[in-house]
Amino acid sequence: MKLIITGGAGFIGSNFIYYQLKHHPEDEFVCLDKLTYAGNLSSLKGVMEQPNFKFVRGDIADRDFVCSLFKREKPDIIVNFAAESHVDRSILEPELFLKTNVIGTGVLMDACRKYGIKRYHQVSTDEVYGDLPLDRPDLFFTETTPLHTSSPYSASKASADLLVLAYHRTYGLPVTISRCSNNYGPYHFPEKLIPLMIINALHDKALPVYGDGVNVRDWLYVEDHCSAIDLIIREGHEGEVYNVGGHNEKSNLDVVKIILKALGKSEDLITFVKDRPGHDRRYAIDPTKIHNELGWLPQTKFVNGIAKTIEWYLDNKDWWQEIISGEYQKYYEKMYKNRI
Ligand code: NAD
Ligand code: TYD
């Protein structure tokens, strides 16, 4: 089988490529990535020379380019990770999110219809469900929870999900969707909470916690997300949505304190800053469906996953030092200077 993996130079996509090459060496893989600020070829260094792997640079929203790629490669499965993925950036610049996350998804599915595929898989997020109240720990997102988005990012992801389901119903396109909770692990871009806090702590810089820090995220080690998508694309049922999460809810403040403790740094580095507009309070996934239907269970507990992640950032300073030395500095300045 041949898979096109879009957004494979990003955080989850690159982890997924390593996972696929390890577990399915008989398959062929084409990574399609625009290499935006979030895409790093250095994340794919370990697979670039593999004979069954190919990297192609391009934009999923570029119809001519996508069609010529499909015509040439004749893929069986598309896994779409490509997206603008950072909520804070979506608040500053929503339009780019519509172009990549909505139009790009539509272009990919049109190419699937035109050239024929066995499966189109959309990598979505629990953020499409909006948020849950902090005082109702009994509530969780299920696949039937209404979509109720808060940010331009989540609205663009929800729009794409609706388009994917419409292409299934109207054109019979064989699609699946996964909606996963927050991931963490190797190759996570430094603008996101966990890598940002690890890197700032290593530099003894202030750790900017938004608002009161009690917002809750449901953390999943990235490899567990990869195993879930792998199961869905190979054994999941067409037209279905699967929630993915491992009941690992933690407040932001708790996550930051765990990182500081692991690095032997003082909690005095914690700095409460102006809150994110529209900040979702709590995400929590009910993964019963994927467990019952496909037998999926996460393998990595948070305590082990965060230790492995911190170790990875300590062992791979070259990877993130290169990233934070360029444009990232300007982003950081713009995003945080008026917050403190
Ligand atoms: P990321 O920002 O690290 O990577 C995105 C990748 O997509 C980058 O390599 C970038 O270059 C590429 N890309 C962006 N625009 C493109 C375009 N127009 N054409 C081709 N490539 C383009 O994101 P991530 O955290 O790895 O997330 C991957 C997917 O998983 C996204 O769809 C996101 O919505 C979803 N998701 C992420 C999380 C999370 O915690 N990070 C959780 C659930 C779902
Ligand atoms: P983030 O990693 O951006 O993921 P998402 O918003 O998609 O969940 O943020 C995770 C949580 O951490 C979220 O509640 C916002 C908070 N946060 C901070 O408190 N400070 C920061 O500097 C960042 C980037 C995030």
Side-chain angles (χ1 to χ4, degrees):
M1 277 216 287
K2 187 183 273 192
L3 287 83
I4 291 185
I5 297 163
T6 69
F11 164 44
I12 308 174
S14 56
N15 278 282
F16 185 73
I17 287 170
Y18 285 107
Y19 186 94
Q20 287 297 307
L21 280 157
K22 183 172 166 199
H23 291 89
H24 301 283
E26 71 286 3
D27 287 340
E28 284 180 77
F29 303 94
V30 178
C31 171
L32 158 59
D33 199 294
K34 187 177 173 184
L35 296 181
T36 67
Y37 79 92
N40 286 288
L41 272 187
S42 61
S43 304
L44 293 171
K45 222 161 48 190
V47 294
M48 277 302 200
E49 302 302 324
Q50 299 270 346
N52 56 342
F53 176 80
K54 192 190 294 177
F55 179 82
V56 181
R57 187 173 190 178
D59 186 339
I60 59 164
D62 179 341
R63 196 169 286 274
D64 292 343
F65 166 78
V66 168
C67 284
S68 67
L69 182 73
F70 273 61
K71 193 171 175 190
R72 194 170 68 238
E73 297 292 346
K74 301 181 182 56
D76 300 292
I77 298 178
I78 312 300
V79 187
N80 182 25
F81 290 93
E84 289 294 332
S85 69
H86 193 34
V87 172
D88 291 325
R89 287 187 193 251
S90 83
I91 295 167
L92 289 181
E93 205 181 337
E95 195 178 342
L96 190 52
F97 285 69
L98 304 187
K99 182 140 189 258
T100 289
N101 300 4
V102 187
I103 306 285
T105 298
V107 167
L108 285 174
M109 287 192 301
D110 283 340
C112 289
R113 286 180 59 213
K114 189 165 174 190
Y115 295 100
I117 40 98
K118 294 196 175 79
R119 178 63 61 84
Y120 173 88
H121 182 76
Q122 179 72 1
V123 181
S124 187
T125 163
D126 60 356
E127 300 192 28
V128 299
Y129 299 120
D131 62 355
L132 295 163
L134 287 174
D135 60 358
R136 288 294 305 274
D138 55 314
L139 295 181
F140 297 91
F141 298 135
T142 72
E143 289 79 0
T144 54
T145 300
L147 305 190
H148 189 78
T149 56
S150 313
S151 69
Y153 163 66
S154 57
S156 69
K157 293 296 290 184
S159 306
D161 282 14
L162 293 175
L163 203 58
V164 171
L165 294 173
Y167 271 56
H168 174 66
R169 169 128 182 206
T170 303
Y171 305 116
L173 197 72
V175 306
T176 39
I177 297 177
S178 51
R179 294 186 180 140
C180 189
S181 59
N182 285 62
N183 285 212
Y184 67 103
Y187 302 112
H188 204 179
F189 194 81
E191 69 190 350
K192 304 283 171 59
L193 178 80
I194 287 181
L196 186 142
M197 296 300 169
I198 295 172
I199 292 168
N200 277 20
L202 287 173
H203 289 105
D204 294 308
K205 264 178 82 171
L207 306 193
V209 173
Y210 298 168
D212 51 16
V214 301
N215 304 61
V216 168
R217 296 294 182 263
D218 184 0
W219 293 98
L220 186 72
Y221 192 62
V222 63
E223 202 178 342
D224 284 325
H225 188 187
C226 295
S227 72
I229 296 173
D230 184 47
L231 262 181
I232 295 168
I233 58 175
R234 292 165 196 273
E235 293 172 33
H237 304 295
E238 284 176 20
E240 292 295 317
V241 174
Y242 294 92
N243 280 358
V244 183
H247 288 300
N248 246 317
E249 288 179 52
K250 298 242 173 300
S251 75
N252 294 338
L253 207 47
D254 282 345
V255 170
V256 170
K257 285 181 181 169
I258 289 168
I259 292 170
L260 285 170
K261 190 161 178 221
L263 292 173
K265 300 284 182 176
S266 163
E267 288 187 10
D268 292 345
L269 288 174
I270 294 174
T271 309
F272 291 97
V273 301
K274 202 163 139 209
D275 209 353
R276 170 188 282 172
H279 197 176
D280 283 334
R281 294 301 269 176
R282 170 175 169 251
Y283 302 143
I285 281 278
D286 176 354
T288 306
K289 178 174 171 180
I290 188 168
H291 176 60
N292 288 349
E293 279 190 21
L294 304 179
W296 178 83
L297 274 178
Q299 300 300 314
T300 304
K301 291 205 171 79
F302 189 78
V303 59
N304 300 324
I306 196 71
K308 278 203 276 188
T309 303
I310 291 172
E311 200 180 312
W312 188 88
Y313 279 85
L314 288 171
D315 289 346
N316 291 275
K317 286 187 176 152
D318 288 354
W319 181 85
W320 54 263
Q321 271 167 349
E322 197 180 321
I323 291 170
I324 66 166
S325 65
E327 275 297 303
Y328 183 79
Q329 287 301 332
K330 285 190 202 144
Y331 161 81
Y332 196 89
E333 174 76 3
K334 186 170 168 190
M335 189 61 76
Y336 292 91
K337 86 166 179 260
N338 295 323
R339 270 205 150 108
I340 301 183

